[in-house]
Amino acid sequence: GYARVDTHRGVRTGDPEVVFAAGKTAAETVGIVAALRAASTGDGRPTLVTRANRETVDALVARWPDADVTGRWSPDPAADPRPAGDAGRLATVAVGALPPARGRVVVVCAGTSDAPVADEAALTVAASGAGVEVLRDVGVAGLHRLLAVRDVLAAADCLVVVAGMEGALPSVIGGLVGVPLVAVPTSVGYGAAFGGLAALLGMLTACAPGIAVCNIDNGFGAGLFAARVARA
Amino acid sequence: GYARVDTHRGVRTGDPEVVFAAGKTAAETVGIVAALRAASTGDGRPTLVTRANRETVDALVARWPDADVTGRWSPDPAADPRPAGDAGRLATVAVGALPPARGRVVVVCAGTSDAPVADEAALTVAASGAGVEVLRDVGVAGLHRLLAVRDVLAAADCLVVVAGMEGALPSVIGGLVGVPLVAVPTSVGYGAAFGGLAALLGMLTACAPGIAVCNIDNGFGAGLFAARVARA
Amino acid sequence: GYARVDTHRGVRTGDPEVVFAAGKTAAETVGIVAALRAASTGDGRPTLVTRANRETVDALVARWPDADVTGRWSPDPAADPRPAGDAGRLATVAVGALPPARGRVVVVCAGTSDAPVADEAALTVAASGAGVEVLRDVGVAGLHRLLAVRDVLAAADCLVVVAGMEGALPSVIGGLVGVPLVAVPTSVGYGAAFGGLAALLGMLTACAPGIAVCNIDNGFGAGLFAARVARA
Amino acid sequence: GYARVDTHRGVRTGDPEVVFAAGKTAAETVGIVAALRAASTGDGRPTLVTRANRETVDALVARWPDADVTGRWSPDPAADPRPAGDAGRLATVAVGALPPARGRVVVVCAGTSDAPVADEAALTVAASGAGVEVLRDVGVAGLHRLLAVRDVLAAADCLVVVAGMEGALPSVIGGLVGVPLVAVPTSVGYGAAFGGLAALLGMLTACAPGIAVCNIDNGFGAGLFAARVARA
Amino acid sequence: GYARVDTHRGVRTGDPEVVFAAGKTAAETVGIVAALRAASTGDGRPTLVTRANRETVDALVARWPDADVTGRWSPDPAADPRPAGDAGRLATVAVGALPPARGRVVVVCAGTSDAPVADEAALTVAASGAGVEVLRDVGVAGLHRLLAVRDVLAAADCLVVVAGMEGALPSVIGGLVGVPLVAVPTSVGYGAAFGGLAALLGMLTACAPGIAVCNIDNGFGAGLFAARVARA
Amino acid sequence: GYARVDTHRGVRTGDPEVVFAAGKTAAETVGIVAALRAASTGDGRPTLVTRANRETVDALVARWPDADVTGRWSPDPAADPRPAGDAGRLATVAVGALPPARGRVVVVCAGTSDAPVADEAALTVAASGAGVEVLRDVGVAGLHRLLAVRDVLAAADCLVVVAGMEGALPSVIGGLVGVPLVAVPTSVGYGAAFGGLAALLGMLTACAPGIAVCNIDNGFGAGLFAARVARA
Amino acid sequence: GYARVDTHRGVRTGDPEVVFAAGKTAAETVGIVAALRAASTGDGRPTLVTRANRETVDALVARWPDADVTGRWSPDPAADPRPAGDAGRLATVAVGALPPARGRVVVVCAGTSDAPVADEAALTVAASGAGVEVLRDVGVAGLHRLLAVRDVLAAADCLVVVAGMEGALPSVIGGLVGVPLVAVPTSVGYGAAFGGLAALLGMLTACAPGIAVCNIDNGFGAGLFAARVARA
Amino acid sequence: GYARVDTHRGVRTGDPEVVFAAGKTAAETVGIVAALRAASTGDGRPTLVTRANRETVDALVARWPDADVTGRWSPDPAADPRPAGDAGRLATVAVGALPPARGRVVVVCAGTSDAPVADEAALTVAASGAGVEVLRDVGVAGLHRLLAVRDVLAAADCLVVVAGMEGALPSVIGGLVGVPLVAVPTSVGYGAAFGGLAALLGMLTACAPGIAVCNIDNGFGAGLFAARVARA
Ligand SMILES: Nc1ncnc2c1ncn2[C@@H]1O[C@H](COP(=O)(O)O)[C@@H](O)[C@H]1O
Ligand SMILES: Nc1ncnc2c1ncn2[C@@H]1O[C@H](COP(=O)(O)O)[C@@H](O)[C@H]1O
Ligand SMILES: Nc1ncnc2c1ncn2[C@@H]1O[C@H](COP(=O)(O)O)[C@@H](O)[C@H]1O
Ligand SMILES: Nc1ncnc2c1ncn2[C@@H]1O[C@H](COP(=O)(O)O)[C@@H](O)[C@H]1O
Ligand SMILES: [Mg+2]
Ligand SMILES: [Mg+2]
Ligand SMILES: [Mg+2]
Ligand SMILES: [Mg+2]
Ligand SMILES: [Mg+2]
Ligand SMILES: [Mg+2]
Ligand SMILES: [Mg+2]
Ligand SMILES: [Mg+2]
């Protein structure tokens, strides 16, 4: 009785309903996911849960042991997992098998601290049926790292660029390549970063054209947007 | 000695004084409620306590076991209670029997996470002597759920519309029906939601007319306002 | 070709579409009003135009000489008109005869400078089919003026309370009477008034219950809301 | 000597450099456009000038009489031009012939006052080599107008959704169709609209997924982004 | 070595240096107080410590058992102490005997939750050598409580008016009496109260004249200011 | 009919009603002043008009040629008047003879550009029956100028300290003398001064005690407050 | 009588007092400059006037025909002057001969619209006795222009980097060279640029180290700071 | 795999990469420092870690027992260490021997609570190869303490001035001496200090020239900037 989930969204928009775990108990989230899994049988798409705390992640994994969780899952299956000590960070979870991939999204990440948001974007892309690669630690303060990957960037169908603090990375990449670029400010920083506001304003006013912006820390929204562009 | 409660407010305005529990100890709140109950005998209206934490709820229920508490109480007595795991959420408590109802308020709620605010509005309506129904999970991203309840909305004396994040629900409902609509932004969201500011500004600038707005998370204020309109 | 007006709104909501003149040329506004007048024949309601500058007012009055214009029109036909020197202030215009009135709204106004917003509210109430009275200059700094009109306030079906600067008037009236109260902050003030923000925040957080708030300077929205409540 | 224009940008990103006329004299802007035209001969793309005031528009049209100017140019050549009275609004100008179109962008516009931004987006799409259609006046307060064009929206390669005030239109469209959607808040509104801030925050926090946002009034950026997606 | 206290301030300004305990350890604060006590012997004024947490209060009382602590100390020695359950609230502590009083300050307090700030103001007044009385729970929503104490207000040398939420109390008192009035906004409230910002802006823009404002929750500053006025 | 002036304020508070000219026409302001002059005969106090533009000043002086106007009037009758070229600045006007002075207020002013606000404060003090002296151009960047006037500051009954940009002057003066100090931030500055916000926040958080603050550019409020303190 | 200029500042700090022309009449500014010129004879430094409008510039040049004015003066005497059409922009003026230069400052400027601020910085450097070069139009969206001047940047004693919109240029330059870098945000931009706030926050939170920031549009402050570093 | 550190930064800019520990686990930070130490062998510079919590400090000291930690390390080796009770404060850690010093930076600190930021600046200066001295507790409210150290200030190559609350200290020092001054606002304060915003705005708009500003609490950035100036 406490929720009436939108089980038709996949039909209308091609992408199924997603669960926003913040402000819900672990039990509520598990209940909603179960309802969506029951309704979605057969469309080949996993159910995503975003902004889950440790307790909710554990409850989901207990019920669906094959679920993919950000920080543990990587687009490159051969890659090392991130260290286990990720307590306190919110995670995104995909319940159900990942679909086959069409097109290619590249997720670019300015600093180590921005990784959870980049990971959310990458898992969302994969869960939405597009291919994905992640380039880490290519911030503007070390331009050589960025210039070294220019061809990878130019070959993508869509870019997701994740950066905190001043969020200058999209400005620089936007001047290098003509690929549609979705920018995601993060809340990494302190003082005048104001919880991601500095990066958000910077990305919105970037003088390089062809940049559109998602909410602070919203790797999910950027990943879904980019998958739609890449899949087309 | 630490408080001088306004025991005449019911006479002046028709609605008795309400206790704001935030920033008070459980003992202080119980003491103030006891003073108001003593003074209000005979007017048939319960005493409301808003924004109570778990400790204060427990102290109130220990003293007045019949008290109604949001999350447990529902306007539909046959409905399932919400899951028990609501620790950490602030609650609203009505001490004393609910009065008979005049008129009909419909409370509409965009998402599951907004439920505590919608519940506060509903319990306040009931405690203020008007009838109330709650429609949940009818956000704008799934318009069919909204169009399906259009007749229920149009038949109400007053609407309370509760939404977080971008708070677009009042704009859409305000274009569908001509019933007075009190909008309540919630603090659900993150990043550029800025603790409810995005929803608040959106509701204040809604281009559909006939909308008035209460403070972020203020289900109490909206419920009292709507009850006054519906009771008239 | 430049606009597709919503001629069905009156059917859906009981109140016809209203024209927002800011950002439109006088010619565009006249064109839209003409289209709405053509479509609305027979429903007995005038067409409202809000936030019109002098040029647009003149163009509307040239075309519809009987139009009512805020600052010249008063709910009390025997009252003196305001002095002619209102250049620079935005006006609201009603094209078409005012309908018969049901119920009673009282518009209360803190200071002389808030008058244009109070006048917009009053004309909107009258154009929406409710009765209206305006009480001027009853700010909180002179409480005796307010206490002298308490019975008039208590007898209304709905109040519209208009105030700039710190916007304290709704707090005080809300503690005196139990009538539904729609508060309208105005942009009157300077410095830390921040264009109406101080009054807006003050009204949203008013500790007296039963107050709902409209946008800064939005006499139109408050008037329509109040008329719906009073007409019921 | 006063500028060193980026004549290589077309080679790097596929879209040539664009001139931001705000804060430049008409003579400076004409000089920069002349330099870009000289350098860009043969790539078949016009030179865009954004945020030009009347004086700059006149200077550009005097020099390049075939230039396309927002408000006069329309994607549908058979359409009526907008009324002449557009003084005071900033315009966007394309100097040089429009290229052939690949793919299809649909620009959606909430209100009449948002038209200049929608027009900027449309002309930018056309100048960037994609097809474009404009749907006007389909705000959320009149949902039937929106539902009537749902198939047109679903058939587009990319949507540009332009709205001021509370900016709720992208939330509703994002729940109806699965097309990539670029949202553009406008500065239309007053009071708590805070020059487009309300719409900006609302679009960033929209609970419908697949939405990315450009700067307030930035039809140019949204148009270029959408053309890149549609052309692909 | 970690601090160089300003032991001459009493000579220059008549009021000795005060310790701001926030951001200092209990040991640091005790050390600084000891240094000031050593230097100030003989001037008959206690040393004040503001914004002390429980741990710091306990350390101070352990060292100086006669210290006065807000919430336990009252200007009326016959009054009941506030309930003990004040954990979590910051306290102000006066180490040393209170001096004889000259003149009379009245501290007025809107609601029960504002009491800690009012208590800080009252203890500061007493420690600064002026007489003080506290009037509690006289918020604007219950005007009769305010009118009942008008003569007490008019007889004071200076008023300190403490209020959270919308902070309207100074506006009303400022229209009733001509006594210099120092307003103190508190952080009591939620949502659009924005941690005291609503009350602060409201007090700064109050239309009643003769009001000056101190920082949010700054009972200390207001008390010292008022004592200087009253002592003169 | 357009205003109901508060002719009893002088009786209640000792200071008569003041006219806020912003947002009123010259004719309206003259009308209100005439009504107040008629009602106030015999109390020996002039009528103040604040924030008057050139047109309103001229209308007032045409009607009352002996009126005192800021920029022309000085507390030292032998002083040179300020240069005539004060167009564009708002003025304060006192209609009626200045009363005899009790006590002494010193107005201190950081920079030349802050002079209009300091002048408003000084004329208000004089019109409210206290003595006044103005010290100009003693900003913190030239400390020697400040130290040179320390004895004048220490001998005052109350100080009014006016400063724009970062507003540091009250912090420094508050550490030098123990006189009650009313700080007035001005809107002088640019960029991060944000129209006086930087100075306002700085004054509110000044670490020197005994400082209370008035609204940005509110020389009137500070002057009236200081006169009440000095007169006592 | 209306100003008491700080004629000792040159002695104390090595740099003479500067006149802030905003909010002063042309006559007042000329009067203050004349007083400073009279007092400063012999120290070999010109008097600077900042933020002067056209009327003030004309009055200064009429009195001191050899004065240097931003937009006309260039560090490279062989360079073309900027086009004459600079009406509406504020200018900086140096009255008196420029001193010999020690050390070298490079001013870098992102876009053509930022030129007035860069020019203010350059003229201030020259007037303060350091050498200066200006590099224009090297924004981050065209990285090749920046890499081409890397050696010039690395050879400077101090950099002044001027940028509007998102202000990303200091981040990129700060990662390329280890020279002390003073960043100046400008008010160029619109919408979420919020008058320079986006650039300001971006520069403050830049992840490249060795960056310090001046106020929005404050070319003067940055130029003086850089000259002090370079001269040393 | 989780980070790709910028090991070339020392070559490009003269100062090696620094680790921002906030948002990283202790294990991640130790891993990154180890990688940087391995790559930097031989350049004689320690590796800095900023904003480390207690857990991360302990992990770093366990691995590199000779590391210098703010609060324990002092530029004057004979000085007393700060009391041990610094739990909860973020620390800065230097791994590796401090290099020989060139030039002299003086760090000035307004209050005891600002000490952690001043300590971060001082350790950064030392780690970057410049000499450093710290002057504590010289706030503007006690001017004599400041005037007593004027010669020390004037003899420095660069100043770092650290202050919270209203942040007035740079304004006063900037008027006393002509040394380049880097101002650092701190988050010390409450209410209208808004987490350091008041101090930040005050420092940016300081009317004393020659001041540049770093982010709130960014002692690291200021220290590195000052070391570059002093070393030159
Ligand atoms: N002053 C006003 N404040 C808020 N909304 C308004 C106002 N005037 C008109 N509106 C709304 O704005 C819509 C008209 O926008 P438009 O189509 O641009 O004329 C109408 O549907 C009205 O409901
Ligand atoms: N410059 C000013 N700043 C603040 N309040 C003012 C000012 N001038 C007049 N007032 C107050 O505003 C009220 C007048 O408002 P009104 O009735 O609109 O003229 C008076 O009661 C004054 O106390
Ligand atoms: N453009 C500017 N930005 C910041 N401060 C300035 C500027 N121009 C002048 N100043 C400072 O402002 C003071 C002048 O203020 P005033 O006495 O009003 O002319 C001088 O001491 C300068 O240091
Ligand atoms: N406290 C600090 N404040 C500002 N920037 C910092 C700070 N500490 C480190 N940095 C910068 O942030 C970058 C490190 O980010 P990350 O790769 O996430 O560790 C370094 O290149 C430093 O220049
Ligand atoms: Mg890094
Ligand atoms: Mg849902
Ligand atoms: Mg009045
Ligand atoms: Mg419309
Ligand atoms: Mg109460
Ligand atoms: Mg000066
Ligand atoms: Mg350019
Ligand atoms: Mg101290």
Side-chain angles (χ1 to χ4, degrees), chain A residues 83-188:
Chain A
D86 59 341
R89 293 175 184 153
L90 298 179
T92 292
V93 182
V95 174
L98 300 179
R102 287 206 316 271
R104 181 153 206 82
V105 172
V106 174
V107 176
V108 190
C109 177
T112 311
S113 303
D114 301 318
V117 178
D119 291 341
E120 179 179 86
L123 181 52
T124 302
V125 170
S128 302
V132 64
E133 179 174 2
V134 182
L135 301 175
R136 294 176 195 282
D137 230 357
V138 288
V140 294
L143 225 50
H144 58 293
R145 296 179 293 186
L146 194 57
L147 295 173
V149 295
R150 184 172 164 175
D151 289 349
V152 179
L153 299 173
D157 294 307
C158 193
L159 300 174
V160 173
V161 181
V162 179
M165 293 174 167
E166 89 278 46
L169 193 53
S171 297
V172 174
I173 294 181
L176 285 179
V177 298
V179 177
L181 188 168
V182 187
V184 188
T186 74
S187 54
V188 171

Side-chain angles (χ1 to χ4, degrees), chain F residues 164-204:
Chain F
M165 292 171 167
E166 89 277 46
L169 193 51
S171 297
V172 174
I173 295 181
L176 285 179
V177 298
V179 177
L181 188 168
V182 187
V184 187
T186 73
S187 55
V188 170
Y190 62 93
F194 291 125
L197 180 66
L200 172 64
L201 298 183
M203 290 171 175
L204 285 166

Side-chain angles (χ1 to χ4, degrees), chain A residues 110-114 137 141 145 165 188 190, chain G residues 204-209, chain H residues 3-6 9 16-22 24 32 48-51 92 120 215 217-221 224:
Chain A
T112 311
S113 303
D114 301 318
D137 230 357
R145 296 179 293 186
M165 293 174 167
V188 171
Y190 61 94
Chain G
L204 285 166
T205 59
C207 58
Chain H
R4 196 170 2 171
V5 293
D6 185 359
R9 190 180 291 176
E17 171 74 311
V18 169
V19 183
F20 178 68
K24 299 192 174 76
I32 294 173
L48 279 178
V49 178
T50 65
R51 301 186 78 78
T92 292
E120 180 180 84
N215 191 14
D217 291 334
N218 189 4
F220 156 66
L224 181 50

Side-chain angles (χ1 to χ4, degrees), chain E residues 19 28-40 47 60 63-64:
Chain E
V19 184
E28 286 173 344
T29 297
V30 167
I32 294 174
V33 172
L36 285 165
R37 294 310 296 159
S40 72
T47 299
L60 290 166
R63 173 86 178 255
W64 294 281

Side-chain angles (χ1 to χ4, degrees), chain B residues 33-189:
Chain B
V33 172
L36 284 166
R37 293 312 296 158
S40 73
T41 311
D43 73 349
R45 289 282 290 274
T47 299
L48 278 178
V49 178
T50 65
R51 302 185 77 78
N53 60 18
R54 166 62 52 111
E55 189 188 342
T56 297
V57 169
D58 289 346
L60 290 167
V61 171
R63 173 85 178 256
W64 295 280
D66 289 339
D68 290 308
V69 182
T70 50
R72 304 177 199 165
W73 176 87
S74 164
D76 173 7
D80 285 347
R82 272 230 312 261
D86 61 340
R89 293 174 183 155
L90 298 179
T92 292
V93 182
V95 174
L98 299 179
R102 287 206 316 271
R104 180 153 207 83
V105 172
V106 174
V107 176
V108 189
C109 178
T112 311
S113 303
D114 300 318
V117 179
D119 291 341
E120 180 179 86
L123 181 52
T124 302
V125 171
S128 302
V132 63
E133 177 174 3
V134 182
L135 301 175
R136 293 175 195 284
D137 229 358
V138 288
V140 294
L143 224 52
H144 59 293
R145 296 179 293 186
L146 194 57
L147 296 173
V149 295
R150 184 173 165 174
D151 288 350
V152 180
L153 300 173
D157 293 307
C158 191
L159 300 174
V160 173
V161 181
V162 179
M165 293 173 167
E166 89 275 47
L169 193 53
S171 297
V172 174
I173 295 180
L176 285 179
V177 299
V179 177
L181 187 168
V182 187
V184 187
T186 74
S187 54
V188 171

Side-chain angles (χ1 to χ4, degrees), chain G residues 86-106:
Chain G
D86 60 341
R89 293 175 184 155
L90 298 178
T92 292
V93 181
V95 174
L98 299 179
R102 288 206 316 271
R104 180 153 206 82
V105 173
V106 174

Side-chain angles (χ1 to χ4, degrees), chain H residues 156-178:
Chain H
D157 295 305
C158 193
L159 300 173
V160 173
V161 182
V162 179
M165 291 172 167
E166 88 278 47
L169 193 52
S171 297
V172 174
I173 295 181
L176 285 179
V177 298

Side-chain angles (χ1 to χ4, degrees), chain C residues 110-113 137 141 165 190, chain E residues 206-209, chain F residues 9 17-20 24 32 50-51 120 218 220-221:
Chain C
T112 312
S113 301
D137 231 356
M165 292 172 167
Y190 62 94
Chain E
C207 59
Chain F
R9 190 180 292 177
E17 170 73 309
V18 168
V19 183
F20 178 67
K24 299 192 175 77
I32 294 173
T50 66
R51 301 185 79 78
E120 181 180 85
N218 189 5
F220 156 67

